[in-house]
Amino acid sequence: MNTNDSWFTPPYIINLAREVLGHIDVDPASNVIAQNWIQADTFYTEETNGLTKDWNGKVWVNPPYSASLIKKFTKKFLEEYENGNMKEGIMLTNSSTDSLWNIPLQQGLQAYTNGRISFLQPDLTEKGKGSRGQLFTYLGPNPDKFIEVFTRDNFCWVPNLNMFL
């Protein structure tokens, strides 16, 4: 794992995800520390490799950001939804609209942050803001709820929002 792979999601974002999903069944790219606030029913670590497991139910994923791993996790996110394992899911990535891994995600509903997220380090201090803004991709039956929650207080914006209203 390289330094691009350990960006802990702040609890307030997990609260937004939980508000949309109800609860989190699976977090396929996690660790024991992050589970203190993510509290997924099932989580996979680098050692247990979520890429080799089914993602059943409601899924939250903040994948590793290194080029080789993000491609695999974004592909798996779509596959798990398309094959019916994942009923609903939210993925947090950088807003790399031109990246080959992001283009297939555009079939989901995407919300872009206004600004950058301050991620956490393993000791729970702020790691700092990434080099670009972030993107949440939603797949599931509740797009209106996702839009309502993630655009609240101008946190994110959704391209072509009028298409969904």
Side-chain angles (χ1 to χ4, degrees):
M1 186 181 302
N2 69 40
T3 58
N4 288 329
D5 291 337
S6 292
W7 295 81
F8 289 39
T9 309
Y12 77 92
I13 291 175
I14 299 303
N15 291 340
L16 296 175
R18 197 173 285 107
E19 190 173 341
V20 174
L21 301 173
H23 70 281
I24 298 169
D25 292 311
V26 179
D27 180 354
S30 196
N31 60 63
V32 173
I33 296 169
Q35 287 307 307
N36 285 317
W37 60 92
I38 296 173
Q39 301 172 345
D41 292 343
T42 302
F43 70 95
Y44 302 110
T45 65
E46 181 180 9
E47 295 76 29
T48 57
N49 192 359
L51 290 170
T52 65
K53 311 290 192 286
D54 290 339
W55 300 358
N56 294 307
K58 298 180 178 194
V59 176
W60 161 261
V61 59
N62 177 2
Y65 284 15
S66 59
S68 64
L69 287 174
I70 198 165
K71 289 176 192 174
K72 292 175 182 175
F73 273 91
T74 55
K75 181 180 181 205
K76 177 83 168 170
F77 184 71
L78 290 169
E79 288 172 351
E80 289 296 300
Y81 186 69
E82 290 167 356
N83 73 21
N85 286 338
M86 184 174 77
K87 304 303 180 207
E88 189 173 25
I90 299 173
M91 176 175 267
L92 168 60
T93 61
N94 282 328
S95 58
S96 301
T97 58
D98 61 336
S99 297
L100 292 177
W101 57 260
N102 184 44
I103 292 170
L105 289 178
Q106 293 169 6
Q107 62 190 288
L109 178 58
Q110 296 189 313
Y112 296 82
T113 57
N114 284 312
R116 298 175 184 171
I117 295 170
S118 292
F119 289 90
L120 302 177
Q121 300 182 89
D123 67 2
L124 304 185
T125 60
E126 284 191 4
K127 183 171 188 170
K129 298 179 189 233
S131 62
R132 61 194 79 155
Q134 284 72 45
L135 162 68
F136 296 92
T137 300
Y138 174 80
L139 297 172
N142 297 305
D144 293 340
K145 183 69 170 179
F146 173 77
I147 291 169
E148 172 198 331
V149 170
F150 277 83
T151 60
R152 189 182 302 142
D153 300 324
N154 203 31
F155 177 59
C156 290
W157 59 277
V158 176
N160 301 316
L161 180 60
N162 292 334
M163 290 176 42
F164 300 99
L165 299 177

